[in-house]
Amino acid sequence: MPWDKNAAVNYLQLHARPMSHGDCARYVREAVERGGIMLTRTRSAKDYGTSLTHAGFRTISTTHPQKGDVIVIEGIHLHPHGHMAMYDGQYWISDFKQWHGFYPGPDYRSARPNFKVYRHD
C-alpha cells in the first residue's frame, strides 16, 4: 500500500484532543499506520526516528514543512521521552493540535531541544 499522507493527517485531525494527554507517540504512530505504513513500536517518542527511516521516511532539513511530515524531538528534563508530531499543512498535531509550533509546550520552547523532521515521498 502506498503512503497516503492525507489519510494519516485526517486521522490526527479527527482524533486530536483539546490538550495533551501524553500520548503523542501512539497518536502519530497510529496516524502513520492509517496512512499505510507500519512502524516498529518504541517505548519513547524520541526513539521513533529509526522506525520511520526503516519504513521509508528520510530526514530532511527544512524550515518549510509539508503535509505529512513527522517531527521527532529529543527528551528534556521534565519530559524524558521526547515528543513527536505530524504536520497537517498548517499546524503540528500529536495527541492535540499544537497552536504554537512544533515544540509542544513552554518547557520545550524554553529548552529548545534538538529534533529531526522526516518525510515520506
Side-chain angles (χ1 to χ4, degrees):
M1 173 185 259
W3 168 236
D4 184 348
K5 66 184 172 188
N6 292 316
V9 165
N10 289 343
Y11 179 86
L12 274 181
Q13 289 172 328
L14 289 171
H15 291 87
R17 297 175 172 188
M19 56 190 302
S20 176
H21 288 256
D23 292 325
C24 65
R26 180 173 66 92
Y27 275 61
V28 175
R29 177 186 50 80
E30 289 175 355
V32 170
E33 291 175 352
R34 184 60 58 102
I37 296 175
M38 298 303 292
L39 295 178
T40 302
R41 295 179 186 200
T42 69
R43 175 169 151 70
S44 297
K46 67 179 177 66
D47 298 327
Y48 264 95
T50 301
S51 181
L52 288 162
T53 301
H54 286 154
F57 284 79
R58 62 183 170 85
T59 57
I60 58 167
S61 57
T62 182
T63 55
H64 303 289
Q66 294 179 8
K67 185 177 190 178
D69 286 355
V70 176
I71 191 165
V72 176
I73 304 173
E74 290 181 0
I76 60 175
H77 176 66
L78 296 174
H79 306 279
H81 294 287
H83 184 71
M84 65 189 291
M86 181 179 286
Y87 193 66
D88 76 348
Q90 187 173 5
Y91 296 102
W92 290 95
I93 303 175
S94 53
D95 58 337
F96 71 106
K97 187 177 278 189
Q98 300 175 197
W99 300 106
H100 303 288
F102 60 82
Y103 286 130
D107 293 336
Y108 280 93
R109 289 191 289 277
S110 293
R112 304 185 62 79
N114 290 329
F115 61 88
K116 289 185 180 177
V117 179
Y118 297 83
R119 180 173 294 159
H120 195 285
D121 295 317

